[in-house]
Amino acid sequence: MSGFVSLAAIPSIMFIARERKLYDDFHQERKTHETGISRLGGVGIFCSFTIISLLFAKHDAVLPTNILLTACIMLFAVGLKDDLAGAGPSTKFFIQFLVAAILVFLGDVRLTSMYGILGIQEIDFFTSSVLSITTIMFMVNAFNLIDGIDGLAGTLGLIVNLTFGIMFLHMEQKELATLAFSMVGALAGFLYFNYTPSRIFMGDTGSLLIGLISVVLGIKFIELNKIGYEQISPVFISAPATAVAVLIIPLFDTVRVFTLRVIQRKSPFQADRNHIHHRILSLGFTHLQATFIIVLTNLLFIYLVLILREWGNFTLIFVFLGICILINWITTVLIRIKFRRDFKLDYFWK
């Protein structure tokens, strides 16, 4: 249902954007498009997700819908301001902190254990709160940063929420599954207009919302599969590693980019063209090809975690980190080979 709402809403948003000339600033150095495109696709995603979520909401759900939608509206407001007129980093991070705090303290969206990772199990309330707020803010920004080429953030968000939705259905958590599938439908409708040639972008309004819903579902998935939560054994073992695998692309890309910027003595939040999608584009792939290469890689990690879940959280996360580093190294080698080949060709023709 949310897909139909999204499909119906976005053409109207595109029309208003054309009439009011609400376009993306395509003159910026990092942009990969040559024409003005609206960044208001997230408005359609937000409206369709919110309408369907409210339609099927229950007052006694595992995740209080009123708390979640309050957080969504706050992110929607700051995202819309950024898409229309720009918002300073301090404003965005302050709102993100408030949103995370509301979810943690009022919605009980908390990681209450390290689940055996590094040999640590239960953690105290203060540590749990700090860890949960940091995790929510990090993943919200991770999806915001991965939104760099046509269809990428939307397709990743669709895969992430579809995976969580199917797993929640298997766990008989219908309310959480409904939230996940509401986002899947909203993104499916949006992607019809976002694949190359893109007619609209989701902007911060969309990417922040996708990040929020994805990380909230991830935390709930981990907690509901915690040993001792109304059950002797979890439905999905190695739940933290499973959540990491589902979210691996935006998670690793953000960690990698932030680490490189710190090493280079730059601000972690200084924009550049060093994200994984930029690197794949530099190899000569199109937006659509790069999107599907990245999405297929994400699906591979999900497949691996499901067949290797007996290995345990620490081992799986360590293996996934190693695979990510290997893929990044191979990409770097291919980029250098292409650069040298192109340089020799240019020198020859000169």
Side-chain angles (χ1 to χ4, degrees), residues 80-93:
L80 186 61
K81 181 181 184 299
D82 191 43
D83 292 334
L84 292 176
S90 58
T91 301
K92 293 170 68 174
F93 281 108

Side-chain angles (χ1 to χ4, degrees), residues 182-201:
S182 296
M183 179 57 71
V184 169
L187 289 172
F190 164 77
L191 285 170
Y192 176 77
F193 302 96
N194 186 236
Y195 281 133
T196 303
S198 180
R199 288 169 279 175
I200 192 169
F201 297 148

